[in-house]
Amino acid sequence: MNTFERLEANVRSYCRSFPDVFVRAKGAQLFSQTGGAFVDFFAGAGALNYGHNNDYIKGRLIQYLEEDGISHGLDMYTSAKEAFLQTFESLILAPRALDYKVQFCGPTGANAVEAALKLARKVKGRSGIFAFMGGFHGMSLGALSATSNLFHREAAGVALHDVTFMPFPCGGPGADFDTIRYIDSILEDDHSGVSKPAAIIVETIQAEGGLNFAPVEWLKQLRALCDKHDILLIVDDIQVGCGRVGPFFSFEPAEIVPDLVVLSKSISGFGLPMSLVLFRRELDAWRPGEHTGTFRGNQLAFVGAKAALEYREEVLLEAETLRKGAWVERFLQEEIAPLSDRIAIRGAGLLWGVDVSAAGPHELSKGIATRCYELGLVIERVGRHDNVLKIMPPLTISDAELETGCRILKQAVSESLEKLGALEPALV
Amino acid sequence: MNTFERLEANVRSYCRSFPDVFVRAKGAQLFSQTGGAFVDFFAGAGALNYGHNNDYIKGRLIQYLEEDGISHGLDMYTSAKEAFLQTFESLILAPRALDYKVQFCGPTGANAVEAALKLARKVKGRSGIFAFMGGFHGMSLGALSATSNLFHREAAGVALHDVTFMPFPCGGPGADFDTIRYIDSILEDDHSGVSKPAAIIVETIQAEGGLNFAPVEWLKQLRALCDKHDILLIVDDIQVGCGRVGPFFSFEPAEIVPDLVVLSKSISGFGLPMSLVLFRRELDAWRPGEHTGTFRGNQLAFVGAKAALEYREEVLLEAETLRKGAWVERFLQEEIAPLSDRIAIRGAGLLWGVDVSAAGPHELSKGIATRCYELGLVIERVGRHDNVLKIMPPLTISDAELETGCRILKQAVSESLEKLGALEPALV
Amino acid sequence: MNTFERLEANVRSYCRSFPDVFVRAKGAQLFSQTGGAFVDFFAGAGALNYGHNNDYIKGRLIQYLEEDGISHGLDMYTSAKEAFLQTFESLILAPRALDYKVQFCGPTGANAVEAALKLARKVKGRSGIFAFMGGFHGMSLGALSATSNLFHREAAGVALHDVTFMPFPCGGPGADFDTIRYIDSILEDDHSGVSKPAAIIVETIQAEGGLNFAPVEWLKQLRALCDKHDILLIVDDIQVGCGRVGPFFSFEPAEIVPDLVVLSKSISGFGLPMSLVLFRRELDAWRPGEHTGTFRGNQLAFVGAKAALEYREEVLLEAETLRKGAWVERFLQEEIAPLSDRIAIRGAGLLWGVDVSAAGPHELSKGIATRCYELGLVIERVGRHDNVLKIMPPLTISDAELETGCRILKQAVSESLEKLGALEPALV
Amino acid sequence: MNTFERLEANVRSYCRSFPDVFVRAKGAQLFSQTGGAFVDFFAGAGALNYGHNNDYIKGRLIQYLEEDGISHGLDMYTSAKEAFLQTFESLILAPRALDYKVQFCGPTGANAVEAALKLARKVKGRSGIFAFMGGFHGMSLGALSATSNLFHREAAGVALHDVTFMPFPCGGPGADFDTIRYIDSILEDDHSGVSKPAAIIVETIQAEGGLNFAPVEWLKQLRALCDKHDILLIVDDIQVGCGRVGPFFSFEPAEIVPDLVVLSKSISGFGLPMSLVLFRRELDAWRPGEHTGTFRGNQLAFVGAKAALEYREEVLLEAETLRKGAWVERFLQEEIAPLSDRIAIRGAGLLWGVDVSAAGPHELSKGIATRCYELGLVIERVGRHDNVLKIMPPLTISDAELETGCRILKQAVSESLEKLGALEPALV
């Protein structure tokens, strides 16, 4: 029995899909103890948009360490935090005319969700929250209450309250009717059994939920619905923000301004724990110390975050992401979609899904991912029954690596369908 | 208006007590933008037991970064995690004959508490938890449910359930009767209104709660009580573990073995976000992925954590902590206690409290801390009405720095009492 | 200030619509202290299906009292309960081949709902319940949790949990899509955020909710849905059972067998407090005394209940109800509907609604009811914004009284529309 | 299998202890189908303080029925309710200078508790309630939340929230320390984990809980505690009010005025379902219809209630109760206590307990009650493990019946102890 099996809790998970011991990583590649090299289409579940060990960022971190910069600062004022705030303001907020204040939370996405829900409840004086079926917001009890996956909910060991789930426009119940109209009718009805919530929390794209992309028009309607009923709109941009689909915030294409935004994962630029809540200035009803956390002042993360925002501009990351995304889309449409008319392709920027739910039994996606790994590609499965292969490489991936990864995926899909006897007849 | 006031949420807190902008830190000293130097009796709320920018640990971190080690690994296997686990086993678990498994959580203490409560509920199939009045376990809803401070609880915005508060043997309600007997009588009584809990969560020393030290005998009785009623005992050692009072775990003097232990703060050795849940091997009922979190694989923290455990041995940190603690005790008893017979002194290792609750109005402690800061000492206040000055320097503080800090504290106490006209007559 | 205003709580309600002091009642007529006589289209909110002071039943009650029968018996065995059980079995259960057991609860509908929900949760080991928007089940916290009216819910003063509201096929949100399919898709989806409930509780006709009649086909589908997902089906027949729409149980036309049925209101025949839970024999998982209540043995009610069941047969009440109902329907369609094409008529048996929600402002229905009262008719308003006039006379009402009441209603509607200038042009 | 076993739910309970079928009752005697006669020390669990079929009250009921008085009136004004209110004011409220308003609830004690808790929460804007270990308040979810018996709580099938249990001064946990001081210290402490409640609900004498009599001094302190912390005091006088221990309200000897009082059981005088909430006039924050219930207008009960209040005066019931109580006390002390020094006797008025918890195994009390029943006495067991025989006859019991019952009890105790070999040596 190896060290991990002997000492680490059974709760460990990804190591079961990718069972090597990894020792080094650079850009979009992971290297194992036994010398294996893998293209990374997983990117730390979205925490590594700038690639592993991005040299621009790394240089800053090492310099900061060498200069004995503050490593841990709680919520004291530090030069590292100041520099991050100024950069975030000048490069992100100001150009988008967003008058947000910034809250540093315990450095996990879940903690930022907890803070956002607390603040919304406090400001509105209502306890309820609407969240969406298919949505994922974290594992601590407050965030878990808004997470729809029953496997995770049942692990709570207690009843989860104060959140009502609404149908999302795609990917689950409600896909066949007008969900905005339904939610509106519930809010209008004083016999609906459901009180007006403080806030609606939404992912513009449900990543864990299976790459369900809310239509831009739907997001606009949701914003209007919140305005109509005096409800705060919280966008959880933890996985699909920080440029994953091109623009820094995923909601930019919808031209909406959320009341609160939750960021984490790639915000530090280097995979270091960090999270933020952004909210409209007039919502800042916090009293000092009402929501605390020892590591809300992870200074190294602030240093990385500032560097990442600069790097983003320097390499024109948004344009590059869209360019590479267009290539991926073409590849998926031309090379993978034809393998079966039961495969669905969807995506944006550098976030793409190959949905095989209709192409075979639930084991199919697992077989594909396993074969990918054998062939040197790390790729995750998401959504109902894990039926969607999620393509989410570092945004900095080279064109060659991107092609290598996609070709591996094609081979794995093709071989897996062949085993099932489910390849398109023309291809057999 | 400065950058922080303009952009950072009002929830920020410590910056109001220590309003400089800090730029650099080393050992037990903090340096501000304007050139000020401060002795640090705060130590990142316990996250910096090994001092700021400990060179032993820092060297390892820089080396790991330079070698492009994995920075972010979720729960994949990595060489950094493997090395940490092996070191933790050989230096901590094995010598103490603790057959624990290790869970890596979202890297905050609150998240580790959430995980521990989930696992306890799952294993026992009961939803209730007993926690103690005066206790502090974190801000996310599950952890907050077990946190006794009403200021924090009311910020939840929803009712907090599934936790029943019991009297602690000191510092609050129950200090005048046998609390173990009372808890036992509740558990024995089928008309108590309170169902048997899955677990009892306890801090051996309530740090935020005001430096309330549970007697060793009481801890033994608590362990026996849990055994008698088939209840799991969780020790939250986030603030007072990692050698703060001498031994690595705070419960070692009581010679008890908790069923679960929660660690965070100083575990990474460098103030980097990290947390652990330890539990008896036979309690590992987790299913893969039941409790997840993007940053549960903060590899840099693992590197720091391994280095810290080695460093601890190398410099005989436990013995040093006790030696310095004895000096602090003598100083407090001889130099500060005589200032007023209404001052209470208590502590262990390098965690000491000067309780002025009986010596003047609630503003007294604030006045003392403010004066300390003016004189170059960062010191926090804790407990009911923040009436206890908490002496918690890095364990690596030099004797000279320790004396400087203590003398500043003495001066501030003395001046503040003088203002009140409350100095002992003999000293006036 | 009169006695009531001086001494009775402000919570009193119907007395505000019908402000006379009533002294006597017979059949379908109420008589006031000042000599007024009123036709009763309210029937004790459904508790007086057999009319006020029904002589057949009254004779039995007086005889029982005179013989010193047990008046109060908790759940001891009594001859009165025995006789009721035997009669209920022979006249109600056996002819319908219903193998139900009978639970006597605290003698209110709410208490029977509480008992039914408890038993369902116990049997299935699940805490959740699905209830419907528009539904009404009572005011105690367990029943209130399943009641959709926000006015009542907000009076709870605590959060109401463990019930999820689903759209009803008519009268509120969901009326424009396939609600059964939606509920099914939620139950099928492991990312819906909603766990499988122990039971679904439904009124076949939402009476308080606005006279929303679930289609027979929908009820059949609901039964099948419950079977498919192993969920118990509870029919709350408190208001529309006991022959209100013809057959003893309202669900008979749908040819479904609920797992549990809740009865109250008219079950005692005389307006005396009584309630029952019926459930399939194999669901009887109760342990002795798990759900108690001092008045679950209201013996006078049992005597009345037995007499009522006999009387029902004797006067062919079911057929009479349908005959009178047909007359009411014709009257409403021919005399009232033509007054405005914005008036909706719906009903069955002797339960009819005149829905004026589309015919004018929310005050319209109040004006109509007030005018009815002035003209000698007691009639209640129900539904969203109380917009539906509810025709619910004693089933024993004479044809002449029925016509009198209906003509008063017509006059009141006509006059009220005229005031609004909203009468159909042809009628002006 | 008899009718009951075939048709009635397993939840039935008292019929298992008293398995005859009862047909008739008068005063303090019950008569069975097979001709048995039993002295009744149970009195409908306190609902029959005026005896079975009290002729004074019965005459009024029959007359009212014969005159076609309103039988069911919801909350409309009726002459029966008016007469009751006037009588209640003149005979009960005015002589005690109580400026209470009266709320008629769904006619069960549980429903009155639900209403009282709702009103308290509404008035104070707080959700929490303090209740006492050992207390019993009913079975619907709101009342059950305040009921301490775990057997009943676990039958809820959901978590019960928003009530915190405090130690009662006798009978359970807390009996060995100053409970008022403990509660006060919790309310004073902002780190107690327990928010200030809207109300404290208390039985002055816990009847179901084992006949635990709160000392008069403790009740005074509780009243003062509530005043000090701006908390409402609710006295649940359902079982021990209506003259059970002499005065109409059980709290009169303590000379306190509760903010709310809950009455039920014997209030109707005849065992008919009825309940009341009384509260200080200025607390009447109800909006019309916020707490409703079909049977809150059980007119026959109002008629009985008025008659009972008159009867009470006419026969000097309070003095008679005290006289008979003194006789019972003497009998218990002189005839039963000497049987074993492990028997505890306690009581007041006509409510007495013989506590055999220390005299033998838990089966002892059951054996005694069973033997009583064989000998012609109906007597209930209450408290932890049902160890207390509860003597609670109609207040109208004749001296001869009282003696008969007491002698049967003595014989049963004596025989049962003899079987155990536990009789006092002197008596063997």
Side-chain angles (χ1 to χ4, degrees), chain C residues 36-350:
Chain C
F38 296 82
V39 173
D40 185 1
F41 272 17
F42 180 30
L48 292 162
N49 284 0
Y50 302 93
H52 293 272
N53 286 296
N54 181 302
D55 282 323
Y56 185 97
I57 302 168
K58 189 172 87 172
R60 300 288 187 85
L61 296 178
I62 290 175
Q63 183 189 352
Y64 187 80
L65 285 168
E66 284 173 341
E67 289 172 354
D68 286 335
I70 308 284
S71 68
H72 177 279
L74 283 147
D75 60 10
M76 293 196 290
Y77 297 150
T78 65
S79 49
K81 182 159 64 171
E82 189 174 42
F84 166 73
L85 280 171
Q86 289 166 347
T87 304
F88 191 72
E89 184 182 35
S90 65
L91 295 185
I92 302 296
L93 298 181
R96 292 164 181 78
L98 294 170
D99 190 21
Y100 284 152
K101 292 192 83 174
V102 179
Q103 178 178 3
F104 299 96
C105 302
T108 64
N111 201 281
V113 169
E114 297 260 352
L117 299 182
K118 272 190 197 177
L119 182 60
R121 285 164 165 149
K122 182 184 179 69
V123 167
K124 290 298 173 195
R126 306 174 202 140
S127 59
I129 298 290
F130 282 4
F132 288 98
M133 298 179 191
F136 181 96
H137 302 286
M139 293 286 105
S140 53
L141 281 199
L144 185 54
S145 296
T147 292
S148 67
N149 187 328
L150 298 186
F151 171 70
H152 287 127
R153 294 177 71 80
E154 279 157 18
V158 295
L160 297 171
H161 295 310
D162 303 306
V163 175
T164 304
F165 286 90
M166 290 291 150
F168 200 65
C170 47
D176 55 347
F177 60 82
D178 182 342
T179 55
I180 294 289
R181 182 170 160 193
Y182 177 57
I183 300 169
D184 184 43
S185 68
I186 285 173
L187 291 167
E188 289 285 351
D189 184 15
D190 63 357
H191 282 58
S192 66
V194 182
S195 293
K196 187 192 284 195
I200 297 181
I201 185 166
V202 68
E203 298 159 285
T204 61
I205 305 161
Q206 295 182 334
E208 294 307 298
L211 294 182
N212 307 312
F213 288 72
V216 158
E217 195 50 41
W218 186 88
L219 290 170
K220 284 185 205 289
Q221 291 171 354
L222 184 65
R223 175 69 272 183
L225 184 76
C226 287
D227 290 341
K228 173 181 173 189
H229 293 284
D230 181 32
I231 294 167
L232 296 172
L233 179 62
I234 305 173
V235 169
D236 177 338
D237 232 14
I238 292 174
Q239 183 154 168
V240 302
C242 293
R244 171 50 59 189
V245 292
F248 187 79
F249 294 113
S250 72
F251 52 79
E252 294 180 41
E255 293 172 342
I256 62 170
V257 178
D259 300 297
L260 301 96
V261 182
V262 178
L263 287 178
S264 184
K265 292 208 189 257
S266 275
I267 184 67
S268 85
F270 205 76
L272 302 176
M274 177 172 172
S275 76
L276 300 178
V277 190
L278 312 175
F279 43 80
R280 287 192 297 106
R281 180 169 301 279
E282 56 271 39
L283 302 178
D284 193 2
W286 286 117
R287 287 185 294 174
E290 274 192 317
H291 185 86
T292 69
T294 295
F295 296 116
R296 65 198 185 279
N298 182 11
Q299 307 291 316
L300 219 49
F302 298 161
V303 172
K306 174 178 184 287
L309 294 178
E310 293 166 1
Y311 174 80
R312 204 178 162 271
E313 301 283 309
E314 210 169 288
V315 302
L316 304 173
L317 197 60
E318 178 166 345
E320 275 295 281
T321 299
L322 296 175
R323 182 184 66 76
K324 292 173 192 169
W327 185 91
V328 172
E329 179 173 19
R330 204 162 46 241
F331 183 91
L332 295 177
Q333 294 297 0
E334 295 176 4
E335 304 274 339
I336 291 190
L339 297 176
S340 162
D341 60 5
R342 296 173 165 244
I343 285 179
I345 304 292
R346 54 184 178 266
L350 270 174

Side-chain angles (χ1 to χ4, degrees), chain B residues 159, chain C residues 157-158, chain D residues 117 120-122 124-131 161-164 194-201 231-232 234:
Chain C
V158 295
Chain D
L117 298 182
R121 284 164 164 149
K122 182 183 177 72
K124 289 297 174 195
R126 306 175 202 138
S127 59
I129 299 290
F130 282 4
H161 295 310
D162 303 307
V163 175
T164 305
V194 182
S195 294
K196 185 192 285 195
I200 297 181
I201 185 165
I231 293 167
L232 296 172
I234 305 173

